[in-house]
């Protein structure tokens, strides 16, 4: 199951109390104060784990408490610190409290302190002064922080694959990456985003692809699976837009209509999405004649749009696509991933 929105409650451990105690030794009638310090409460951290792709675990376990600090003891013994709790989250998790964004977790291993443990109180050993040699006072431990947080996942990928249902998006993903998404000859096979990683040929660098559910007319008003999955391509650097031939879509104008429809849904969702560099793919060219393909390519060209003809199923045109993607990625720094709203 794919979950991209959860509410959690986190509580840092309370600090242990400082101790009030006096040294008792044979032949030393009035020993000095020896009350140890309370241990610090543990903290709750969120930590990015690149292997995770969903917030599902947190949906099932919304409450997280770190350990309490132990109270201080006599003989200057400090209490033990409380145990930290580390919650693993996928890359692209945005943490907010009351609609204020606190953190955007975007780098592997990145940590965010969600609830700090309370400091332990100081024992009476610290409070002796020349004029007050027997302090009957020690500090209480501080309570740990407590917070209700909202975690929202906005996937971080380099390339977003978009198009109508059944256009061949998942087929494409499965052939250029090692991902194994569900593929089937009916619409809405994909019901949550799939991620796949492609390794660049020369440098071996990773390019992350996100395949999202198909968009249909009115998606912005909730038709089909709606457009909420578009948030998972908000942070991509390029969009790959598949327009496919099928029985009813055989000429340029029918293809162009599909293209415009998807573009319209993108722009209703956010005016930034249509501004991303887009590679247009004409998919399923194996279903029509070379002449029909050529006519369609020319049609788009007249509208100043370059389209790459491919057959995702027969793996035709994929090398050209990958070089084009690498070329465009060279020019766009990965920097604006956090800059998503
Ligand atoms: N003939 C032909 N069929 C293709 C091609 N690419 C994909 N298909 C078929 O089209 C159907 C849909 O493919 P998917 O990859 O599931 O399409 P999708 O865009 O991910 O669909 P949704 O997830 O439902 O939005 C499957 O039956 C694929 O085998 C192609 O290049 N040529
Ligand atoms: Mg799919």
């Amino acid at each position: 199951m794919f979950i991209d929105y959860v509410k959690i409650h986190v509580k840092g451990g309370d600090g242990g109390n400082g101790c009030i105690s006096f040294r008792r030794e044979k032949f030393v009638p009035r020993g000095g104060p020896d009350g140890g310090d309370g241990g610090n409460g543990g903290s709750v951290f969120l930590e990015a784990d690149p292997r995770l792709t969903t917030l599902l675990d947190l949906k099932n376990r919304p409450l997280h408490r770190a350990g309490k600090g132990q109270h201080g003891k006599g003989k200057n013994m400090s209490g033990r610190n409380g145990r930290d709790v580390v919650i693993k989250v996928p890359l692209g998790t945005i943490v907010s409290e009351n609609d204020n964004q606190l953190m955007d977790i975007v780098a592997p291993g990145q940590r965010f302190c969600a609830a700090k443990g309370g400091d332990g109180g100081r024992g009476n050993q610290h409070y002796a002064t020349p004029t007050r040699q027997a302090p009957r006072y020690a500090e209480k431990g501080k309570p740990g922080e407590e917070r209700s947080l909202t975690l929202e996942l906005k996937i971080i990928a380099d390339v977003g694959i978009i198009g109508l249902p059944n256009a061949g998006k998942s087929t494409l993903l499965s052939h250029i990456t090692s991902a194994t998404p569900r593929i089937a000859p009916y619409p809405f096979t994909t019901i949550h985003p799939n991620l796949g990683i492609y390794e660049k040929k020369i440098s071996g660098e990773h390019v992350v692809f996100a395949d999202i559910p198909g968009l249909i007319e009115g998606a912005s008003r909730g038709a089909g699976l709606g457009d909420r999955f578009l948030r998972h391509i908000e942070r991509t650097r390029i969009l790959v837009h598949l327009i496919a031939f099928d029985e009813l879509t055989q000429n340029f104008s029918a293809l162009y209509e599909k293209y415009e429809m998807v573009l319209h849904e993108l722009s209703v969702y956010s005016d930034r999405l249509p501004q991303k560099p887009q590679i247009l793919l004409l998919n399923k060219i194996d279903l029509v004649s070379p002449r029909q393909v050529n006519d369609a390519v020319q049609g788009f060209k007249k509208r100043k749009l370059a389209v790459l003809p491919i057959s995702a199923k027969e793996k035709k045109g994929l090398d050209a696509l990958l070089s084009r993607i690498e070329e465009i990625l060279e020019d766009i720094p990965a920097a604006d991933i956090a800059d998503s709203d």
Side-chain angles (χ1 to χ4, degrees):
M1 239 214 311
F2 178 77
I3 297 288
D4 55 13
Y5 184 93
V6 290
K7 287 184 187 266
I8 60 169
H9 193 82
V10 285
K11 165 98 176 68
D14 297 337
N17 295 334
C19 168
I20 302 172
S21 160
F22 295 95
R23 216 160 22 239
R24 278 164 208 277
E25 281 174 55
K26 263 187 187 168
F27 314 116
V28 185
R30 302 170 102 211
D34 70 351
D37 301 342
N40 298 328
S43 300
V44 180
F45 294 97
L46 302 181
E47 186 180 278
D49 182 341
R51 289 167 302 182
L52 288 179
T53 53
T54 161
L55 293 167
L56 176 64
D57 294 352
L58 291 172
K59 184 93 189 162
N60 301 333
R61 274 191 63 219
L63 191 68
H64 296 264
R65 283 169 183 279
K68 290 182 181 171
Q70 248 181 4
H71 298 317
K73 294 192 200 109
K75 298 188 180 155
N76 296 330
M77 283 195 291
S78 302
R80 217 178 312 117
N81 291 338
R83 165 188 59 82
D84 287 339
V85 166
V86 179
I87 307 174
K88 305 277 190 181
V89 295
L91 289 180
T93 300
I94 297 169
V95 188
S96 330
E97 184 179 27
N98 302 325
D99 289 333
N100 295 322
Q101 182 173 325
L102 304 179
M103 181 57 82
D104 189 2
I105 300 179
V106 296
Q110 185 183 340
R111 264 196 176 195
F112 169 69
C113 181
K116 193 174 172 334
D119 287 338
R122 304 205 307 162
N124 73 338
Q125 54 169 320
H126 298 288
Y127 293 99
T129 62
T131 53
R132 192 169 56 154
Q133 294 190 354
R136 312 212 127 266
Y137 171 80
E139 203 180 12
K140 284 219 155 24
K142 302 259 186 319
E145 278 182 335
E146 189 161 4
R147 279 171 157 171
S148 289
L149 300 174
T150 305
L151 306 189
E152 195 191 342
L153 176 61
K154 274 191 190 180
I155 285 175
I156 296 176
D158 301 296
V159 184
I161 306 177
I162 57 170
L164 291 175
N166 230 20
K169 301 180 293 298
S170 303
T171 307
L172 179 68
L173 183 81
S174 73
H175 287 162
I176 54 187
T177 72
S178 53
T180 51
R182 261 174 65 84
I183 294 169
Y186 48 78
F188 305 120
T189 308
T190 301
I191 53 171
H192 61 70
N194 297 307
L195 291 182
I197 296 172
Y198 161 72
E199 260 180 45
K200 283 194 193 172
K201 290 220 172 56
I202 300 164
S203 64
E205 274 174 86
H206 285 179
V207 180
V208 181
F209 284 77
D211 158 37
I212 61 165
L215 282 170
I216 58 170
E217 186 161 17
S220 47
R221 299 188 301 273
L225 293 176
D227 67 355
R228 57 181 230 97
F229 288 107
L230 286 179
R231 68 159 132 172
H232 294 299
I233 54 163
E234 277 180 50
R235 311 217 243 192
T236 57
R237 294 149 76 191
I238 313 183
L239 298 178
V240 165
H241 182 164
L242 270 83
I243 313 160
F245 284 104
D246 60 37
E247 303 84 63
L248 301 173
T249 318
Q250 304 255 333
N251 59 29
F252 165 71
S253 55
L255 292 161
Y256 190 75
E257 211 173 288
K258 286 182 162 181
Y259 160 76
E260 278 203 308
M261 205 225 78
V262 169
L263 213 58
H264 174 73
E265 296 302 326
L266 289 188
S267 60
V268 175
Y269 179 81
S270 136
D271 40 3
R272 294 188 46 176
L273 284 185
Q275 286 169 18
K276 287 187 190 285
Q278 232 181 78
I279 300 177
L280 297 185
L281 298 181
L282 208 50
N283 191 28
K284 309 200 186 181
I285 54 169
D286 54 289
L287 294 178
V288 294
S289 67
R291 172 134 180 237
Q292 281 171 301
V293 175
N294 192 45
D295 285 352
V297 172
Q298 294 308 322
F300 278 97
K301 204 168 178 181
K302 279 198 192 119
R303 306 256 175 155
K304 304 209 167 7
L305 293 167
V307 290
L308 280 178
I310 67 161
S311 167
K313 192 173 174 179
E314 297 185 348
K315 303 186 195 175
K316 284 201 185 115
L318 303 191
D319 286 341
L321 168 64
L322 289 168
S323 341
R324 185 80 193 103
I325 289 174
E326 291 196 26
E327 226 173 82
I328 301 182
L329 285 179
E330 299 270 295
D331 298 335
I332 315 170
D336 67 345
I337 40 179
D339 168 26
S340 57
D341 300 305

